[in-house]
């Protein structure tokens, strides 16, 4: 049996005629760059996130960058985040002129450790970006307490957490802004690049709307210098269709995760994902931790199972950030996870046979190579 890491065709097949009709409509309306279809999606996505406003942009990276700019972060400022994220989280900080500062994560949820956050604050710290890794939110209450004490802005990196909840609040609705990616492989994925910022702050909303469209309030009247970060109309049309199915798709992911975890629960060599008591997890990624990770992955590959590592090198040890001066050992939990993580196939359309094929192969790997 073949179990790809991701199977977008299986997700798209039943919706094909809906996609074709919606894309045709964008063509007929000539609503390509921003415009009415993007506005329709924004309204629906804001409601989904239990937020007042959503702003469609070109990617999750732009969502993070524009959030920082709109919240006034710039040169001389420090922004605290975690080293076990996708590079974009730190890049956005660098691209607004500020300095990324990393703190280690909780050993069970792999999200920001609020105590480490408190210890990393300096007079220059202006904001914090907790990352809702793999589909589970960070522990936001203690992070908010620290942020309130020191007057820090909170930007949620919710790029992996569409529909996740923290104590009943939707990911993205808790901080000053929430940032989403609609990269094709995310829980809500476009047919290309796209992203969104959600916020309850109308001033921040107005600012980001202007920044994403060359700083113009109305056409060709520019009150500030912005950039082109608009969402495509075709992406918005596709996202509107997929958003209607997101809740059900997330439910399938949760049920697959339960199946995986139940089938692997007796293997003491395998650390399974922890669902925090505060969390509604949406399992963008189902990552286990194993010793001899590379050999386990080789074994899974030999059984035609696609797997991946999120992420093999923590951001503070990336060559691109050598100038920040971090060394190996600075963040023991994040670094250890980077050497032990294996992400198993995870998407709503996985069949019971595929799930079993994967867990059987993990069991074989544990007995043969560990
Ligand atoms: C995907 C992702 C991003 C970047 O989103 P793009 O749409 O690819 O720019 C940022 N942060 C995290 C945690 C992500 O997973």
């Amino acid at each position: 049996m073949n179990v790809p890491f991701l199977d977008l065709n299986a997700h798209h097949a039943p919706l094909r005629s809906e996609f074709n009709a919606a894309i045709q409509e964008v063509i007929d309306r000539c609503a390509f760059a921003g415009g009415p279809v993007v506005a329709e999606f924004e309204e629906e996505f804001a409601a989904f996130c239990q937020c007042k406003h959503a702003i469609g942009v070109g990617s999750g990276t732009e969502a993070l960058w524009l959030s920082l700019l709109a919240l006034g972060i710039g040169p001389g400022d420090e922004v605290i985040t975690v080293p076990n994220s996708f590079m974009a989280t730190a890049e956005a900080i660098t691209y607004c002129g500020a300095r990324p500062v990393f703190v280690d994560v909780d050993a069970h949820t792999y999200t920001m450790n609020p105590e480490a956050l408190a210890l990393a604050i300096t007079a220059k710290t202006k904001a914090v970006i907790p990352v809702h890794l793999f589909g589970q939110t960070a522990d936001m209450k203690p992070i908010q307490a620290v942020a309130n004490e020191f007057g820090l802005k909170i930007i949620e990196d919710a790029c992996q957490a569409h529909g996740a909840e923290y104590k009943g609040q939707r990911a993205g609705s808790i901080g000053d802004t929430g940032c989403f990616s609609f990269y094709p492989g995310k829980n809500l994925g476009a047919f290309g690049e796209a992203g969104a910022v959600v916020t309850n702050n109308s001033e921040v909303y107005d600012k980001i709307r202007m920044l994403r469209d060359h700083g113009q309030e109305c056409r060709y009247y520019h009150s500030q210098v912005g950039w082109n970060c608009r969402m495509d109309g075709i992406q918005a049309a596709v996202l509107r269709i997929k958003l209607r199915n997101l809740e059900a798709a997330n439910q399938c992911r949760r049920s697959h995760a339960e199946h995986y975890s139940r089938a692997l629960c007796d293997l003491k060599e395998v650390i399974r994902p922890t669902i925090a008591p505060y969390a509604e997890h949406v399992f963008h990624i189902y990552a286990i931790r194993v010793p001899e990770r590379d050999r386990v992955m080789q074994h899974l590959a030999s059984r035609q199972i696609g797997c991946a590592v999120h992420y093999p090198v923590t951001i503070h040890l990336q060559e691109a950030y050598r100038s920040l001066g971090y060394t190996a050992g600075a963040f023991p939990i994040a670094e250890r996870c980077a050497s032990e993580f294996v992400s198993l196939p995870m998407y709503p359309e996985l069949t019971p046979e595929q799930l079993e094929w994967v867990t059987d192969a993990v069991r074989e790997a544990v007995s043969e190579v560990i």
Side-chain angles (χ1 to χ4, degrees):
M1 195 181 311
N2 178 22
V3 189
F5 181 66
L6 195 62
D7 190 352
L8 288 176
N9 279 325
H11 192 64
H12 296 155
L15 300 169
R16 205 181 172 94
S17 59
E18 267 190 88
F19 289 138
N20 286 340
I23 291 170
Q24 192 58 55
E25 192 190 324
V26 175
I27 297 171
D28 293 340
R29 291 167 83 179
C30 289
F32 298 113
V37 188
V38 172
E40 286 156 12
F41 170 69
E42 287 171 339
E43 194 168 315
E44 290 161 5
F45 191 65
F48 177 82
C49 294
Q50 299 166 352
C51 263
K52 257 197 227 151
H53 308 290
I55 307 117
V57 295
S59 68
T61 309
E62 288 180 355
L64 290 160
W65 179 56
L66 294 184
S67 289
L68 288 160
L69 289 177
L71 291 167
I73 313 301
D77 298 337
E78 292 177 357
V79 178
I80 300 176
T81 189
V82 291
N84 62 333
S85 181
F86 181 56
M87 182 69 173
T89 314
E91 280 176 318
I93 298 168
T94 302
Y95 252 64
C96 74
R99 180 185 176 87
V101 171
F102 301 106
V103 295
D104 211 349
V105 292
D106 176 81
H108 302 287
T109 63
Y110 316 128
T111 59
M112 181 174 281
N113 178 337
E115 286 159 26
L117 166 65
L119 293 174
I121 288 167
T122 72
K124 294 179 177 171
T125 310
K126 292 286 152 51
V128 53
I129 310 185
V131 178
H132 302 328
L133 196 75
F134 299 162
Q136 173 159 255
T137 65
D139 192 0
M140 293 303 290
K141 278 270 148 37
I143 291 173
Q144 281 177 308
V146 174
N148 288 341
E149 186 181 343
F150 294 94
L152 312 180
K153 304 292 186 192
I154 300 177
I155 295 150
E156 298 176 64
D157 184 338
C159 287
Q160 302 187 359
H162 319 69
E165 287 179 7
Y166 176 80
K167 300 188 174 176
Q169 285 180 282
R170 278 277 152 105
S173 69
I174 304 161
D176 292 278
T177 71
C179 301
F180 290 88
S181 164
F182 306 123
Y183 181 78
K186 301 287 164 93
N187 285 30
L188 179 60
F191 282 4
E193 306 282 352
V197 181
V198 297
T199 183
N200 285 312
N201 182 327
S202 299
E203 244 172 79
V204 171
Y205 168 69
D206 288 339
K207 240 182 206 165
I208 295 178
R209 269 172 66 88
M210 284 219 289
L211 286 172
R212 74 150 171 202
D213 194 17
H214 302 290
Q216 53 192 342
E217 263 166 277
C218 56
R219 201 157 204 198
Y220 304 136
Y221 290 82
H222 306 264
S223 57
Q224 50 184 312
V225 175
W227 200 253
N228 177 358
C229 301
R230 292 181 301 252
M231 179 187 274
D232 290 346
I234 284 178
Q235 304 307 343
V238 168
L239 289 167
R240 289 189 70 200
I241 293 166
K242 287 203 188 180
L243 182 59
R244 287 179 219 133
N245 297 289
L246 180 55
E247 213 80 74
N250 282 343
Q251 189 49 48
C252 288
R253 288 171 183 270
R254 272 193 287 271
S255 138
H256 299 337
E258 248 173 66
H259 180 109
Y260 274 151
S261 289
R262 211 179 315 118
L264 301 173
C265 69
D266 59 321
L267 300 177
K268 62 180 188 317
E269 298 87 348
V270 175
I271 302 177
R272 294 161 290 132
T274 305
I275 303 177
Y278 60 68
E280 183 80 336
H281 203 314
V282 292
F283 285 98
H284 171 56
I285 301 279
Y286 183 94
I288 56 172
R289 287 166 59 195
V290 288
E292 301 292 338
R293 187 260 311 282
D294 295 344
R295 293 176 65 199
V296 169
M297 287 183 76
Q298 272 169 18
H299 183 82
L300 295 178
S302 77
R303 294 286 183 270
Q304 282 79 52
I305 294 166
C307 37
V309 177
H310 298 91
Y311 298 91
V313 181
T314 52
I315 303 176
H316 72 288
L317 298 178
Q318 293 285 352
E319 192 180 339
Y321 276 130
R322 199 185 295 167
S323 62
L324 292 178
Y326 288 101
T327 52
F331 306 111
I333 297 170
E335 289 169 39
R336 175 149 187 207
C337 289
S339 68
E340 295 179 345
F341 272 146
V342 182
S343 305
L344 302 181
M346 176 51 79
Y347 40 92
E349 296 74 20
L350 280 169
T351 65
E353 293 75 25
Q354 286 178 312
L355 290 165
E356 198 176 320
W357 182 257
V358 174
T359 52
D360 285 351
V362 173
R363 303 186 75 85
E364 285 166 13
V366 165
S367 64
E368 286 171 28
V369 308
I370 296 181

